């Protein structure tokens, strides 16, 4: 039986789903909490691009949106340019936004990672960035992003 390498995160955010959704799809809002440059085309088949993650600020991630249900759900492929282990489009990120307790419950699953080391590295990255997203979407300044080492 093949072991699944999956990262899961859940966090309550003090902002409505529409606000959180914007922070996940609008390039200007994305870079307030993750990366230095972003480009998105939030429709099935559309581009997902992010540059400036981790300790190597020149590193870029690329994928394509697979599912976009405004203010409720996103699914997009994901991978790192110049990576043999996690190349662009090789993994899948699914995010559900649930209206709960006067805010949003974000549930994220990152599947398709190739091994335990990549799973651990991406888990560390998601812990960092989901907390930064929570702050930014709630109208707080997450501060400068110092990045996370060891992703992909």
């Amino acid at each position: 039986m093949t072991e699944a390498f999956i990262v899961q995160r859940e966090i309550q955010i003090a902002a409505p789903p529409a606000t959180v959704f914007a922070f996940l799809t609008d390039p200007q809002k994305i870079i307030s909490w993750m990366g230095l440059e972003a480009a998105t085309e939030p429709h099935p088949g559309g581009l997902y691009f992010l540059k400036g993650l981790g300790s190597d600020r020149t590193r870029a991630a690329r994928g394509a949106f697979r599912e976009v249900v405004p203010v409720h759900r996103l699914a997009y492929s994901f991978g790192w340019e110049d990576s043999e282990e996690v190349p662009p489009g090789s993994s899948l990120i699914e995010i559900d936004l649930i209206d709960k307790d006067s805010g949003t419950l974000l549930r994220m699953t990152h599947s398709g990672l190739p091994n335990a080391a990549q799973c651990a590295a991406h888990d560390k990255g998601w812990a960092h960035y989901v907390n930064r997203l929570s702050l930014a979407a709630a109208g707080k300044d997450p501060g400068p992003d110092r990045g996370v080492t060891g992703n992909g």
Side-chain angles (χ1 to χ4, degrees):
M1 184 172 185
T2 303
E3 183 179 347
F5 296 106
I6 296 172
V7 173
Q8 293 182 309
R9 290 274 159 197
E10 189 172 288
I11 191 168
Q12 180 70 26
I13 300 175
T19 299
V20 178
F21 188 84
F23 274 88
L24 292 166
T25 57
D26 179 313
Q28 290 304 319
K29 291 187 183 323
I30 292 170
I31 62 172
S32 72
W33 62 276
M34 179 169 60
L36 301 173
E37 180 184 335
T40 61
E41 298 168 351
H43 57 80
L47 173 71
Y48 179 87
F49 174 81
L50 192 57
K51 186 174 181 178
L53 292 172
S55 58
D56 178 356
R57 307 305 268 168
T58 63
R59 193 151 198 228
R62 182 179 298 273
F65 284 96
R66 293 189 182 173
E67 189 177 352
V68 180
V69 180
V71 312
H72 298 292
R73 180 171 168 78
L74 289 171
Y76 54 94
S77 64
F78 178 90
W80 300 100
E81 292 182 349
D82 302 322
S83 170
E84 290 183 22
E85 282 193 302
V86 186
S90 66
S91 66
L92 179 65
I93 296 169
E94 298 172 273
I95 299 172
D96 290 299
L97 304 175
I98 301 146
D99 193 345
K100 183 177 178 190
D101 298 333
S102 301
T104 302
L105 177 64
L106 179 144
R107 286 190 181 138
M108 185 278 309
T109 301
H110 188 165
S111 60
L113 296 166
N115 55 49
Q118 286 297 327
C119 194
H122 285 84
D123 185 54
K124 183 178 176 182
W126 278 115
H128 174 76
Y129 285 114
V130 167
N131 286 328
R132 290 180 57 78
L133 167 62
S134 178
L135 291 169
K140 298 176 182 168
D141 181 0
D145 182 12
R146 307 278 186 235
V148 177
T149 59
N151 282 14

